[in-house]
Amino acid sequence: MSQTIIKDLMPKDELLASGHLACPGCAAPVAMNLVLKALGPQTVVTLPACCWSIIAGPWPQSSLRVPLFHTAFETGGAVASGIKAGLAARGDTETTVIAWAGDGGTFDIGLQALSGAAERNEDIIYFCYDNEAYMNTGIQRSSATPWGAWTTTTPTGEPEATPKKDMVSILAAHGIPYIATASVAYPVDLVEKVKRARTIRGTRFIHILAPCPPGWKTQNDETIDLARQAVQTRVFPLFEVENGRNWRLTVDHADEPVAPYIRRQARFKHLTDEQVERIQADVDDRWERLQRRIDCGT
Amino acid sequence: MSDITEPGRSGRNIPPIAISRMTTEVNLTGSWKYIRPRYEDRVAPCNANCPVGIDIEGYLYLLGQGRTEEAASLLLEENPMPAVTGRVCHHPCEDGCNRANLDEPVAIHSVERRLGDIALASPPPAAPDPARDEKVAVIGSGPAGLACAYHLARIGYRVTVFEAAPEAGGMLRLGIPEYRLPRAILDRQIDRIAALGIEIRCSTAVGRDLPWSELDTFDAVFAAPGAHVGKDARIDGASDTRMVRPGLEFLKEVNAGGRPVLGDHVVVVGGGNTAMDCARSALRLGSEVTVLYRRTPLEMPAIPQEVKEAKLEGVGFRFLATPTAARAKDGSLVGIECQQMELGPPDESGRRRPVPQEEGRFSMIADCVLTAIGEDCDLEFLPEGVEISGGVAAVDELCESTTARVFVGGDAADLPRSVADALGSGKRAAIGIDHWLRERSGEEVAPPDLAALRFGPGGNLSIARERGIDPLHRASPVNEVAGWDAMNPAHFEQAPRHEDHFHAAGDLTATFGEVNFGLSEREFRDEVDRCMNCGVCNRCELCLIFCPDMAIHRRDDGEGFEIDLRYCKGCGLCAAECPRGAMAMSREES
Ligand SMILES: Cc1cc2nc3c(=O)[nH]c(=O)nc-3n(C[C@H](O)[C@H](O)[C@H](O)COP(=O)(O)OP(=O)(O)OC[C@H]3O[C@@H](n4cnc5c(N)ncnc54)[C@H](O)[C@@H]3O)c2cc1C
Ligand SMILES: Cc1ncc(C[n+]2csc(CCOP(=O)(O)OP(=O)(O)O)c2C)c(N)n1
Ligand code: SF4
Ligand code: SF4
Ligand code: SF4
Ligand code: SF4
Ligand SMILES: [Mg+2]
């Protein structure tokens, strides 16, 4: 096939409503829409504080056509575990319970609750939609913010000084049954991974890169292309991990240089060419480590 | 302890757990936008490059959907003889194909050929209702004449075609050899055209067998007599022998079934299609053949594929050389004197003019010389008022000549000369004649809006557009070419092009059987798949899946989509991600 005919591959459920409050061009609702298409209506969403708390609409509205539980910033893993336990107590073992958290709520403040759930192998799917900062409160850095990026707490004079935390490795170290990275620019791959995750029991973790026009300082219509470029530059490779091992790439990755990806985002505009080179070196290094894991299967 | 359901400070009942009971659809977030998307289909560059004007992107889309019959009928809407053009057209469509930017052009001609053959296998079309009273005479049954007759008959005119030769087809029968265009295919294609109720009177040369005045009973005349007079190669002493012959005359003889004896060594003079056909036909009659061309391979006007095949079959080439004198002995040719040339400054055609090289004389053994350096028109039979300029009739865009009621087209009016150009010319003439006759009959008709009838900026015109036929239900189509910059290449993967299969060279020279077998069914499907449907929405639904605001919905009739502007925030993702340039954004009016 020389082109993707997506309509034959996409479930027809429409579980996200219009009128939600995401900024124009936001990837987060695209991600949610795809995930809910893959999971279907028998799904409960746990939502710690993040942009999505706003996107879901103010009470008494909801932009989701499935049950959605707003909860505290740090509690995604714990509350999802509790909802799952409650349903099980009522004899419902079929409903899929997911946590849907931002990178701040996952990499930073929610890490403890997530680690606890993963350690107990709770029967939940934990989604992190990663826009690489605390966007809801006005673009503060998180430990998912890439090295060199501007945020309001890492101004251009003193940009983000540490590289992005390797969350997938942390989760892989928990040995949970299924981990995947996914991208809004690869909807078929994303939907397949979510469907696959749904058939597995235990803690599953899916990390979705979700470009944010105001936070990344990019144009509204670039979101999907940025997500795609992140994959094609190997900044955000698409892969799966089973039981902490069997690392496997799921799409072809071109070997495009990172510079064009970095340069089109004004959050990186202060970087010198040498600094962009450094990002390239870091990307190459991570890719090589990923390759080693893929090659040796652990 | 207070009852938590008692009215709070706001005066509202706040339940223990606040539960939402409505969706966000009450928020008309579309008010945020300052640009808005729209569906707007464009024209594919292949189509814009086609002299006939064929909705290539459209029929390839229908084929991709498995709607083969509809695809064939859309193709036949514009092109009366796809089984012919699929075989002999030089396919400029492929030069325009966007896919070249990704890997290689779609093999459009191969798909057209196969679809044309599929259409030939179906029962012939029924003659349309003679909706019009007027009668039209067509002179010449080449592609231009037949195309004009076809389109006029389909509108409902009564058409009579006068043809000088004993059989219809023009150069397709007289010039193009059977090994490129099997006569069974040509016959069936012409039969289907005639089945529309067109009368074809062969062996009737207007001006010779039938005086022009006999055409007075017709309401309009379309003259498409082609270009059949071989140019004189001015070889000294040529008249001393019968073996220095016009190539076209030789081809006509062979194509009528003649098998003349040419001798061992044949020299063909020229670099166009006629020269290639002469060379390959002479080869099939058992001679050794050398083509003499006065410029270099780069300047050869012949279709490159023909040159390639001629070489594969064993035709020799000698470039930058021209014959000057024939050497005859007792009426038989024995050789020719030639002059070596070199390229000088460019001439009026922009090509560098060949000039004689000093001291560059040589001779060649030749039992026969076939001259094929171009053809002129014989327009003597046309009434005096028809202005001739540069050897062809002066006509306007709809082929109307300087004499009322008389339209001229095809090779007799057009340069460049090709089957596709002739078919396009015949179509333009049909549109012109139809409008002219309607106007004359007192109907209120607006002058034809050529810009609206065109596919792209070129000269082709569309009958489907004229008749408002569009099985694709395009959304507010604009006549703008969807070039590579309108495409989103991220949604396409590389896939190699399939080439036609050829009869192995070597064992073909003794036969006039078809050399090109086209594509297999699977390869044909693959090529259909390779087409990106540039500019036309193929319902891939990427816009729908990437819209963050769920503002895009399938239409109830299944033909495309609607944008709910109450919720569209104008992010532009739909248009940016559309793989084929079928969407556009425009500013909100304050
Ligand atoms: C040898 C050769 C090979 C070619 N190969 C190709 C090719 O591979 N691909 C391509 O695209 N083009 C090719 N061409 C060019 C192409 O054939 C012509 O451009 C095309 O056929 C022109 O169409 P037409 O209808 O204008 O004229 P023609 O096809 O020439 O038809 C004109 C007809 O009018 C008839 N006629 C003339 N005068 C009168 C009269 N007074 N009364 C009645 N009838 C009359 C003639 O007998 C003839 O049948 C080739 C040309 C030649 C000579
Ligand atoms: C304990 C606590 N601290 C701070 C906040 C304020 N707060 C709400 S959302 C948010 C940032 C969320 O960032 P992230 O998880 O990355 O999601 P995003 O907004 O970027 O989508 C913060 C700091 C809070 N709700 N609770
Ligand atoms: S700030 Fe970014 S992540 Fe949050 S809604 Fe806006 S675009 Fe989406
Ligand atoms: S890809 Fe298809 S529609 Fe596009 S130019 Fe080529 S043949 Fe035409
Ligand atoms: S993205 Fe696909 S469905 Fe949408 S307009 Fe373009 S071709 Fe049509
Ligand atoms: S993607 Fe949706 S919201 Fe964005 S411009 Fe298109 S229709 Fe509007
Ligand atoms: Mg965030």
Side-chain angles (χ1 to χ4, degrees), chain B residues 532-571:
Chain B
M532 305 184 284
N533 308 127
C534 306
V536 290
C537 173
N538 71 354
R539 322 287 188 244
C540 74
E541 300 200 351
L542 278 174
C543 51
L544 188 137
I545 212 76
F546 287 133
C547 172
D549 289 285
M550 311 299 289
I552 299 180
H553 303 284
R554 293 181 197 92
R555 272 170 43 170
D556 292 337
D557 62 7
E559 295 297 352
F561 309 92
E562 265 156 9
I563 300 170
D564 192 339
L565 292 167
R566 293 175 305 162
Y567 300 114
C568 160
K569 292 173 190 157
C571 69

mmCIF file of all heavy atoms in Angstrom, chain B residues 532-571:
data_model
loop_
_atom_site.group_PDB
_atom_site.id
_atom_site.type_symbol
_atom_site.label_atom_id
_atom_site.label_comp_id
_atom_site.label_asym_id
_atom_site.label_seq_id
_atom_site.Cartn_x
_atom_site.Cartn_y
_atom_site.Cartn_z
ATOM 1 N N MET B 532 -2.187 9.407 -6.105
ATOM 2 C CA MET B 532 -2.464 10.129 -4.865
ATOM 3 C C MET B 532 -3.752 10.942 -4.948
ATOM 4 O O MET B 532 -4.092 11.652 -4.027
ATOM 5 C CB MET B 532 -1.280 11.040 -4.550
ATOM 6 C CG MET B 532 0.045 10.274 -4.487
ATOM 7 S SD MET B 532 1.447 11.303 -4.000
ATOM 8 C CE MET B 532 1.751 12.209 -5.514
ATOM 9 N N ASN B 533 -4.471 10.842 -6.077
ATOM 10 C CA ASN B 533 -5.710 11.592 -6.276
ATOM 11 C C ASN B 533 -5.502 13.077 -5.968
ATOM 12 O O ASN B 533 -6.274 13.683 -5.205
ATOM 13 C CB ASN B 533 -6.853 11.042 -5.401
ATOM 14 C CG ASN B 533 -7.058 9.557 -5.554
ATOM 15 O OD1 ASN B 533 -7.073 8.829 -4.566
ATOM 16 N ND2 ASN B 533 -7.183 9.057 -6.775
ATOM 17 N N CYS B 534 -4.469 13.635 -6.574
ATOM 18 C CA CYS B 534 -4.100 15.020 -6.280
ATOM 19 C C CYS B 534 -5.280 15.969 -6.474
ATOM 20 O O CYS B 534 -5.923 15.957 -7.516
ATOM 21 C CB CYS B 534 -2.956 15.451 -7.177
ATOM 22 S SG CYS B 534 -1.571 14.325 -7.064
ATOM 23 N N GLY B 535 -5.532 16.759 -5.463
ATOM 24 C CA GLY B 535 -6.547 17.803 -5.571
ATOM 25 C C GLY B 535 -7.972 17.355 -5.336
ATOM 26 O O GLY B 535 -8.840 18.189 -5.138
ATOM 27 N N VAL B 536 -8.232 16.038 -5.367
ATOM 28 C CA VAL B 536 -9.621 15.617 -5.138
ATOM 29 C C VAL B 536 -9.739 14.801 -3.864
ATOM 30 O O VAL B 536 -8.976 13.879 -3.616
ATOM 31 C CB VAL B 536 -10.231 14.800 -6.309
ATOM 32 C CG1 VAL B 536 -10.453 15.674 -7.501
ATOM 33 C CG2 VAL B 536 -9.419 13.592 -6.638
ATOM 34 N N CYS B 537 -10.728 15.167 -3.083
ATOM 35 C CA CYS B 537 -10.968 14.465 -1.827
ATOM 36 C C CYS B 537 -11.314 13.019 -2.132
ATOM 37 O O CYS B 537 -12.266 12.750 -2.860
ATOM 38 C CB CYS B 537 -12.112 15.134 -1.086
ATOM 39 S SG CYS B 537 -12.596 14.221 0.370
ATOM 40 N N ASN B 538 -10.538 12.102 -1.591
ATOM 41 C CA ASN B 538 -10.860 10.687 -1.800
ATOM 42 C C ASN B 538 -11.419 10.076 -0.525
ATOM 43 O O ASN B 538 -11.386 8.884 -0.339
ATOM 44 C CB ASN B 538 -9.639 9.918 -2.315
ATOM 45 C CG ASN B 538 -8.575 9.740 -1.260
ATOM 46 O OD1 ASN B 538 -8.693 10.281 -0.154
ATOM 47 N ND2 ASN B 538 -7.544 8.983 -1.562
ATOM 48 N N ARG B 539 -11.939 10.955 0.345
ATOM 49 C CA ARG B 539 -12.625 10.499 1.572
ATOM 50 C C ARG B 539 -11.698 9.698 2.475
ATOM 51 O O ARG B 539 -12.113 8.732 3.095
ATOM 52 C CB ARG B 539 -13.844 9.637 1.241
ATOM 53 C CG ARG B 539 -14.650 10.075 0.028
ATOM 54 C CD ARG B 539 -15.455 11.330 0.314
ATOM 55 N NE ARG B 539 -16.361 11.607 -0.794
ATOM 56 C CZ ARG B 539 -16.298 12.690 -1.561
ATOM 57 N NH1 ARG B 539 -15.344 13.580 -1.376
ATOM 58 N NH2 ARG B 539 -17.183 12.892 -2.507
ATOM 59 N N CYS B 540 -10.422 10.091 2.495
ATOM 60 C CA CYS B 540 -9.486 9.346 3.329
ATOM 61 C C CYS B 540 -9.769 9.564 4.805
ATOM 62 O O CYS B 540 -9.357 8.780 5.647
ATOM 63 C CB CYS B 540 -8.048 9.739 2.987
ATOM 64 S SG CYS B 540 -7.582 11.371 3.598
ATOM 65 N N GLU B 541 -10.437 10.656 5.130
ATOM 66 C CA GLU B 541 -10.862 10.966 6.501
ATOM 67 C C GLU B 541 -9.738 11.390 7.429
ATOM 68 O O GLU B 541 -9.913 11.405 8.646
ATOM 69 C CB GLU B 541 -11.688 9.818 7.118
ATOM 70 C CG GLU B 541 -12.950 9.545 6.307
ATOM 71 C CD GLU B 541 -14.027 8.795 7.058
ATOM 72 O OE1 GLU B 541 -13.767 8.307 8.168
ATOM 73 O OE2 GLU B 541 -15.142 8.730 6.514
ATOM 74 N N LEU B 542 -8.609 11.754 6.882
ATOM 75 C CA LEU B 542 -7.552 12.264 7.767
ATOM 76 C C LEU B 542 -7.962 13.597 8.396
ATOM 77 O O LEU B 542 -7.678 13.854 9.564
ATOM 78 C CB LEU B 542 -6.235 12.419 7.004
ATOM 79 C CG LEU B 542 -5.424 11.144 6.842
ATOM 80 C CD1 LEU B 542 -4.224 11.375 5.945
ATOM 81 C CD2 LEU B 542 -4.947 10.609 8.190
ATOM 82 N N CYS B 543 -8.651 14.437 7.624
ATOM 83 C CA CYS B 543 -9.084 15.725 8.185
ATOM 84 C C CYS B 543 -9.968 15.475 9.395
ATOM 85 O O CYS B 543 -9.859 16.149 10.417
ATOM 86 C CB CYS B 543 -9.821 16.546 7.129
ATOM 87 S SG CYS B 543 -11.134 15.662 6.279
ATOM 88 N N LEU B 544 -10.830 14.489 9.250
ATOM 89 C CA LEU B 544 -11.772 14.181 10.317
ATOM 90 C C LEU B 544 -11.045 13.670 11.572
ATOM 91 O O LEU B 544 -11.346 14.062 12.690
ATOM 92 C CB LEU B 544 -12.731 13.139 9.758
ATOM 93 C CG LEU B 544 -13.952 12.712 10.514
ATOM 94 C CD1 LEU B 544 -15.118 12.613 9.537
ATOM 95 C CD2 LEU B 544 -13.722 11.356 11.127
ATOM 96 N N ILE B 545 -10.048 12.844 11.349
ATOM 97 C CA ILE B 545 -9.367 12.232 12.488
ATOM 98 C C ILE B 545 -8.436 13.228 13.180
ATOM 99 O O ILE B 545 -8.192 13.139 14.365
ATOM 100 C CB ILE B 545 -8.627 10.947 12.037
ATOM 101 C CG1 ILE B 545 -8.607 9.939 13.172
ATOM 102 C CG2 ILE B 545 -7.218 11.184 11.586
ATOM 103 C CD1 ILE B 545 -9.893 9.263 13.371
ATOM 104 N N PHE B 546 -7.915 14.197 12.440
ATOM 105 C CA PHE B 546 -6.987 15.147 13.047
ATOM 106 C C PHE B 546 -7.673 16.397 13.588
ATOM 107 O O PHE B 546 -7.019 17.221 14.218
ATOM 108 C CB PHE B 546 -5.900 15.547 12.050
ATOM 109 C CG PHE B 546 -4.883 14.466 11.795
ATOM 110 C CD1 PHE B 546 -4.499 14.146 10.507
ATOM 111 C CD2 PHE B 546 -4.310 13.771 12.851
ATOM 112 C CE1 PHE B 546 -3.551 13.142 10.262
ATOM 113 C CE2 PHE B 546 -3.369 12.767 12.623
ATOM 114 C CZ PHE B 546 -2.992 12.456 11.335
ATOM 115 N N CYS B 547 -8.948 16.568 13.328
ATOM 116 C CA CYS B 547 -9.607 17.770 13.854
ATOM 117 C C CYS B 547 -9.717 17.643 15.368
ATOM 118 O O CYS B 547 -10.391 16.757 15.875
ATOM 119 C CB CYS B 547 -11.000 17.954 13.259
ATOM 120 S SG CYS B 547 -11.893 19.300 14.083
ATOM 121 N N PRO B 548 -9.060 18.527 16.126
ATOM 122 C CA PRO B 548 -9.098 18.412 17.588
ATOM 123 C C PRO B 548 -10.483 18.725 18.138
ATOM 124 O O PRO B 548 -10.782 18.391 19.275
ATOM 125 C CB PRO B 548 -8.097 19.478 18.060
ATOM 126 C CG PRO B 548 -7.345 19.922 16.848
ATOM 127 C CD PRO B 548 -8.230 19.654 15.672
ATOM 128 N N ASP B 549 -11.315 19.375 17.317
ATOM 129 C CA ASP B 549 -12.574 19.883 17.833
ATOM 130 C C ASP B 549 -13.800 19.115 17.379
ATOM 131 O O ASP B 549 -14.923 19.573 17.590
ATOM 132 C CB ASP B 549 -12.667 21.378 17.513
ATOM 133 C CG ASP B 549 -11.681 22.135 18.382
ATOM 134 O OD1 ASP B 549 -11.968 22.284 19.572
ATOM 135 O OD2 ASP B 549 -10.584 22.474 17.892
ATOM 136 N N MET B 550 -13.573 17.963 16.783
ATOM 137 C CA MET B 550 -14.683 17.123 16.348
ATOM 138 C C MET B 550 -15.684 17.943 15.524
ATOM 139 O O MET B 550 -16.885 17.761 15.616
ATOM 140 C CB MET B 550 -15.404 16.517 17.563
ATOM 141 C CG MET B 550 -14.484 15.864 18.576
ATOM 142 S SD MET B 550 -13.559 14.510 17.865
ATOM 143 C CE MET B 550 -14.842 13.304 17.638
ATOM 144 N N ALA B 551 -15.138 18.849 14.725
ATOM 145 C CA ALA B 551 -16.006 19.751 13.975
ATOM 146 C C ALA B 551 -16.316 19.220 12.584
ATOM 147 O O ALA B 551 -17.099 19.808 11.850
ATOM 148 C CB ALA B 551 -15.359 21.130 13.871
ATOM 149 N N ILE B 552 -15.677 18.110 12.205
ATOM 150 C CA ILE B 552 -15.881 17.584 10.852
ATOM 151 C C ILE B 552 -16.725 16.317 10.918
ATOM 152 O O ILE B 552 -16.447 15.416 11.704
ATOM 153 C CB ILE B 552 -14.523 17.319 10.171
ATOM 154 C CG1 ILE B 552 -13.748 18.647 10.063
ATOM 155 C CG2 ILE B 552 -14.713 16.669 8.805
ATOM 156 C CD1 ILE B 552 -12.396 18.535 9.411
ATOM 157 N N HIS B 553 -17.763 16.286 10.109
ATOM 158 C CA HIS B 553 -18.683 15.141 10.126
ATOM 159 C C HIS B 553 -18.921 14.629 8.715
ATOM 160 O O HIS B 553 -18.935 15.402 7.766
ATOM 161 C CB HIS B 553 -20.021 15.558 10.738
ATOM 162 C CG HIS B 553 -19.874 16.127 12.115
ATOM 163 N ND1 HIS B 553 -19.650 15.343 13.222
ATOM 164 C CD2 HIS B 553 -19.828 17.409 12.549
ATOM 165 C CE1 HIS B 553 -19.507 16.108 14.294
ATOM 166 N NE2 HIS B 553 -19.602 17.373 13.915
ATOM 167 N N ARG B 554 -19.132 13.326 8.620
ATOM 168 C CA ARG B 554 -19.491 12.747 7.328
ATOM 169 C C ARG B 554 -20.872 13.253 6.925
ATOM 170 O O ARG B 554 -21.766 13.323 7.763
ATOM 171 C CB ARG B 554 -19.564 11.220 7.437
ATOM 172 C CG ARG B 554 -18.245 10.585 7.700
ATOM 173 C CD ARG B 554 -18.373 9.068 7.782
ATOM 174 N NE ARG B 554 -17.167 8.585 8.429
ATOM 175 C CZ ARG B 554 -17.044 8.392 9.732
ATOM 176 N NH1 ARG B 554 -18.081 8.580 10.533
ATOM 177 N NH2 ARG B 554 -15.909 7.995 10.246
ATOM 178 N N ARG B 555 -21.026 13.567 5.665
ATOM 179 C CA ARG B 555 -22.357 13.967 5.203
ATOM 180 C C ARG B 555 -23.266 12.746 5.130
ATOM 181 O O ARG B 555 -22.815 11.642 4.877
ATOM 182 C CB ARG B 555 -22.247 14.620 3.822
ATOM 183 C CG ARG B 555 -21.987 16.101 3.926
ATOM 184 C CD ARG B 555 -21.633 16.710 2.611
ATOM 185 N NE ARG B 555 -22.481 16.228 1.511
ATOM 186 C CZ ARG B 555 -22.463 16.767 0.306
ATOM 187 N NH1 ARG B 555 -21.666 17.776 0.059
ATOM 188 N NH2 ARG B 555 -23.223 16.283 -0.648
ATOM 189 N N ASP B 556 -24.554 12.983 5.321
ATOM 190 C CA ASP B 556 -25.503 11.867 5.322
ATOM 191 C C ASP B 556 -25.519 11.139 3.986
ATOM 192 O O ASP B 556 -25.733 9.933 3.928
ATOM 193 C CB ASP B 556 -26.914 12.367 5.645
ATOM 194 C CG ASP B 556 -27.003 12.846 7.086
ATOM 195 O OD1 ASP B 556 -26.153 12.396 7.896
ATOM 196 O OD2 ASP B 556 -27.891 13.666 7.384
ATOM 197 N N ASP B 557 -25.311 11.869 2.885
ATOM 198 C CA ASP B 557 -25.372 11.215 1.575
ATOM 199 C C ASP B 557 -24.082 10.468 1.237
ATOM 200 O O ASP B 557 -23.931 9.923 0.149
ATOM 201 C CB ASP B 557 -25.706 12.224 0.466
ATOM 202 C CG ASP B 557 -24.643 13.309 0.326
ATOM 203 O OD1 ASP B 557 -23.581 13.209 0.995
ATOM 204 O OD2 ASP B 557 -24.859 14.250 -0.454
ATOM 205 N N GLY B 558 -23.136 10.457 2.186
ATOM 206 C CA GLY B 558 -21.910 9.698 1.964
ATOM 207 C C GLY B 558 -20.920 10.406 1.059
ATOM 208 O O GLY B 558 -19.823 9.910 0.823
ATOM 209 N N GLU B 559 -21.266 11.576 0.527
ATOM 210 C CA GLU B 559 -20.370 12.258 -0.400
ATOM 211 C C GLU B 559 -19.647 13.397 0.310
ATOM 212 O O GLU B 559 -20.032 14.556 0.210
ATOM 213 C CB GLU B 559 -21.138 12.777 -1.618
ATOM 214 C CG GLU B 559 -21.729 11.677 -2.483
ATOM 215 C CD GLU B 559 -20.671 10.761 -3.105
ATOM 216 O OE1 GLU B 559 -19.468 11.054 -3.006
ATOM 217 O OE2 GLU B 559 -21.070 9.736 -3.681
ATOM 218 N N GLY B 560 -18.621 13.049 1.040
ATOM 219 C CA GLY B 560 -17.807 14.095 1.631
ATOM 220 C C GLY B 560 -18.233 14.482 3.032
ATOM 221 O O GLY B 560 -18.908 13.718 3.734
ATOM 222 N N PHE B 561 -17.865 15.669 3.420
ATOM 223 C CA PHE B 561 -17.913 16.061 4.821
ATOM 224 C C PHE B 561 -18.502 17.450 4.979
ATOM 225 O O PHE B 561 -18.540 18.241 4.042
ATOM 226 C CB PHE B 561 -16.489 16.045 5.398
ATOM 227 C CG PHE B 561 -15.790 14.757 5.122
ATOM 228 C CD1 PHE B 561 -15.002 14.600 3.989
ATOM 229 C CD2 PHE B 561 -15.973 13.663 5.954
ATOM 230 C CE1 PHE B 561 -14.384 13.393 3.704
ATOM 231 C CE2 PHE B 561 -15.370 12.452 5.673
ATOM 232 C CZ PHE B 561 -14.577 12.308 4.549
ATOM 233 N N GLU B 562 -18.929 17.714 6.222
ATOM 234 C CA GLU B 562 -19.384 19.048 6.563
ATOM 235 C C GLU B 562 -18.549 19.546 7.713
ATOM 236 O O GLU B 562 -18.190 18.768 8.601
ATOM 237 C CB GLU B 562 -20.837 18.983 7.030
ATOM 238 C CG GLU B 562 -21.813 19.258 5.940
ATOM 239 C CD GLU B 562 -23.169 18.632 6.250
ATOM 240 O OE1 GLU B 562 -23.361 18.146 7.391
ATOM 241 O OE2 GLU B 562 -23.996 18.630 5.349
ATOM 242 N N ILE B 563 -18.278 20.824 7.725
ATOM 243 C CA ILE B 563 -17.542 21.404 8.840
ATOM 244 C C ILE B 563 -18.538 22.167 9.693
ATOM 245 O O ILE B 563 -19.247 23.050 9.203
ATOM 246 C CB ILE B 563 -16.443 22.342 8.334
ATOM 247 C CG1 ILE B 563 -15.468 21.558 7.456
ATOM 248 C CG2 ILE B 563 -15.706 22.975 9.520
ATOM 249 C CD1 ILE B 563 -14.480 22.412 6.713
ATOM 250 N N ASP B 564 -18.613 21.797 10.963
ATOM 251 C CA ASP B 564 -19.516 22.491 11.869
ATOM 252 C C ASP B 564 -18.787 23.727 12.376
ATOM 253 O O ASP B 564 -17.999 23.666 13.328
ATOM 254 C CB ASP B 564 -19.906 21.557 13.024
ATOM 255 C CG ASP B 564 -21.069 22.141 13.811
ATOM 256 O OD1 ASP B 564 -21.290 23.373 13.722
ATOM 257 O OD2 ASP B 564 -21.752 21.353 14.510
ATOM 258 N N LEU B 565 -19.057 24.836 11.717
ATOM 259 C CA LEU B 565 -18.309 26.058 12.022
ATOM 260 C C LEU B 565 -18.665 26.619 13.404
ATOM 261 O O LEU B 565 -17.983 27.501 13.910
ATOM 262 C CB LEU B 565 -18.532 27.103 10.938
ATOM 263 C CG LEU B 565 -17.900 26.710 9.586
ATOM 264 C CD1 LEU B 565 -18.410 27.594 8.460
ATOM 265 C CD2 LEU B 565 -16.372 26.769 9.647
ATOM 266 N N ARG B 566 -19.708 26.061 14.019
ATOM 267 C CA ARG B 566 -20.014 26.495 15.395
ATOM 268 C C ARG B 566 -18.910 26.069 16.353
ATOM 269 O O ARG B 566 -18.738 26.630 17.419
ATOM 270 C CB ARG B 566 -21.338 25.882 15.860
ATOM 271 C CG ARG B 566 -22.553 26.408 15.101
ATOM 272 C CD ARG B 566 -23.796 25.659 15.533
ATOM 273 N NE ARG B 566 -23.621 24.212 15.360
ATOM 274 C CZ ARG B 566 -24.386 23.289 15.958
ATOM 275 N NH1 ARG B 566 -25.363 23.649 16.772
ATOM 276 N NH2 ARG B 566 -24.177 22.001 15.736
ATOM 277 N N TYR B 567 -18.185 25.014 15.949
ATOM 278 C CA TYR B 567 -17.156 24.488 16.870
ATOM 279 C C TYR B 567 -15.743 24.556 16.316
ATOM 280 O O TYR B 567 -14.781 24.411 17.054
ATOM 281 C CB TYR B 567 -17.490 23.039 17.233
ATOM 282 C CG TYR B 567 -18.826 22.902 17.908
ATOM 283 C CD1 TYR B 567 -19.876 22.222 17.292
ATOM 284 C CD2 TYR B 567 -19.047 23.486 19.161
ATOM 285 C CE1 TYR B 567 -21.109 22.117 17.900
ATOM 286 C CE2 TYR B 567 -20.284 23.386 19.780
ATOM 287 C CZ TYR B 567 -21.314 22.700 19.144
ATOM 288 O OH TYR B 567 -22.530 22.604 19.750
ATOM 289 N N CYS B 568 -15.614 24.701 15.002
ATOM 290 C CA CYS B 568 -14.271 24.772 14.418
ATOM 291 C C CYS B 568 -13.559 25.999 14.954
ATOM 292 O O CYS B 568 -14.059 27.110 14.865
ATOM 293 C CB CYS B 568 -14.392 24.857 12.896
ATOM 294 S SG CYS B 568 -12.912 25.504 12.130
ATOM 295 N N LYS B 569 -12.376 25.781 15.548
ATOM 296 C CA LYS B 569 -11.622 26.901 16.106
ATOM 297 C C LYS B 569 -10.636 27.480 15.098
ATOM 298 O O LYS B 569 -9.843 28.357 15.432
ATOM 299 C CB LYS B 569 -10.866 26.449 17.360
ATOM 300 C CG LYS B 569 -11.779 26.099 18.540
ATOM 301 C CD LYS B 569 -10.988 25.496 19.694
ATOM 302 C CE LYS B 569 -11.926 24.936 20.761
ATOM 303 N NZ LYS B 569 -11.261 23.902 21.569
ATOM 304 N N GLY B 570 -10.633 26.941 13.889
ATOM 305 C CA GLY B 570 -9.779 27.513 12.856
ATOM 306 C C GLY B 570 -8.308 27.212 13.044
ATOM 307 O O GLY B 570 -7.448 28.007 12.663
ATOM 308 N N CYS B 571 -8.010 26.029 13.580
ATOM 309 C CA CYS B 571 -6.596 25.711 13.800
ATOM 310 C C CYS B 571 -5.864 25.443 12.491
ATOM 311 O O CYS B 571 -4.655 25.622 12.404
ATOM 312 C CB CYS B 571 -6.460 24.512 14.735
ATOM 313 S SG CYS B 571 -7.016 22.951 14.022
#
